[in-house]
Amino acid sequence: MGVPARHIEVAVSGDMDLQGTLGLSKELPVGFQAIQVQFHLDAPQATSEQLRALQEKTEQYCVVLQTLLHPPKIVTRWSPAT
């Protein structure tokens, strides 16, 4: 995209209460309640338009983000041992 950047770092974190995941509480959900993605850019010569375009394309084509935003249908199958 031609964005002049010296360094780009991405940090991902999430919030979950393990009581739900470990089955210690029926009131709390299993899994993450929130996920945060923080982008750290060192791009002092990039224009605001370039940074906006970078954000748009990054979010548009991020497989993980798009899967979380638009979850696919999940099918489970159980087969007894023979």
Side-chain angles (χ1 to χ4, degrees):
M1 291 181 60
V3 179
R6 291 188 271 194
H7 183 80
I8 299 174
E9 182 178 328
V10 181
V12 180
S13 61
D15 301 325
M16 77 165 63
D17 190 324
L18 290 176
Q19 293 181 74
T21 300
L22 296 174
L24 301 174
S25 172
K26 300 262 186 223
E27 290 78 39
L28 295 169
V30 174
F32 289 97
Q33 286 86 41
I35 298 172
Q36 301 85 30
V37 182
Q38 177 68 50
F39 291 85
H40 303 278
L41 289 96
D42 183 6
Q45 298 194 17
T47 66
S48 58
E49 292 82 18
Q50 287 175 314
L51 295 176
R52 237 185 336 270
L54 178 62
Q55 178 181 357
E56 180 183 310
K57 292 299 180 191
T58 299
E59 292 178 2
Q60 179 180 2
Y61 293 107
C62 177
V63 173
V64 174
L65 176 63
Q66 291 303 318
T67 301
L68 291 171
L69 290 173
H70 310 284
K73 179 180 178 181
I74 298 174
V75 177
T76 61
R77 293 184 180 89
W78 290 66
S79 301
T82 56

